Amino acid sequence: MRMEGVAASGPERARRVVSYDVVVHGGARHFLARGGLAMDDLAVELAVSRATLYRVAGTRDRVLGDVLWYLGSRTLADAFRGRSATGVTGVVEVTGRFCDSLARSRPFRRFIAQEPETAARVLLTPAGRVHERFIVAQTRIFRDCLELPAAPADTELRGRAYLYVRIVESVIYGEMLHGGNPTPAVTNRMLRAVLTDLTA
């Protein structure tokens, strides 16, 4: 994962207005520096009052979800651009690159270790909307790597993407969910099995 803030105080900070995009981008920088999200500190970094931050951003879970999606989608795009293969092998290669990047991300691993309950809620449930957006992104990867312009039907492909993403999540969040991770060989077989017959 990859990505500066200016602090102000008093009346200047209270008057400043920010957009939600500014909050997310500032939150991403904050997350990468801290391995978490402290809303009071983020308000200082964005030079706004705490009340303004919450009025613009809503809940911490919402901001966390959008920050994690912003950073994660960039990491996934990098993995896709760096692939050397197409077809099923290309799909699995993108996944491997993505998982390796997250495994090396100290801020992400710190967040998972320090706030496992929040991480599970934001990353795996509708609270953060991260999981559902990765399903959409994975569907696009299927289409691009497998060269599937129109078929199979979207519902079929989305169903495969859902299963595929759940397997990937069991690898990325294995320690948080069940204290361990599937072996690479088992994971690879499971991912390929989800893609069986899509290119037939």
Side-chain angles (χ1 to χ4, degrees), residues 18 32-33 44 54 63 77 79 102 105 122 157-158 162-163 171 195:
V18 296
L32 290 175
V44 173
Y54 276 98
V63 180
L102 291 189
S105 172
V122 171
L157 201 59
R158 184 177 174 83
Y162 170 82
L163 292 173
V171 175
L195 302 175

Side-chain angles (χ1 to χ4, degrees), residues 20-21 24 56-73 76 118-138 140 158 165-166 169 173:
Y20 187 66
D21 282 347
V24 172
V56 172
T59 67
R60 179 175 183 262
D61 277 5
R62 181 193 179 203
V63 180
L64 259 175
D66 288 337
V67 163
L68 290 168
W69 166 247
Y70 173 74
L71 294 171
S73 63
L76 187 61
T118 300
R121 183 174 65 250
V122 171
L123 291 165
L124 301 174
T125 76
R129 301 189 304 119
V130 177
H131 169 74
E132 64 190 63
R133 286 182 283 194
F134 270 115
I135 291 174
V136 174
Q138 190 62 55
R140 288 197 298 268
R158 184 177 174 83
V165 168
R166 281 305 193 197
E169 289 168 341
Y173 315 128

Side-chain angles (χ1 to χ4, degrees), residues 6-17 43-44 46-52:
V6 178
S9 60
E12 180 185 350
R13 186 178 67 177
R15 287 195 302 268
R16 186 163 187 251
V17 177
V44 173
L46 294 176
V48 298
S49 68
R50 185 175 185 274
T52 295

Side-chain angles (χ1 to χ4, degrees), residues 79 82-84 92-102 104:
R83 77 195 189 285
S84 59
V92 177
E93 181 188 358
V94 172
T95 300
R97 288 174 175 271
F98 176 70
C99 291
D100 287 346
S101 292
L102 291 189
R104 294 193 305 268

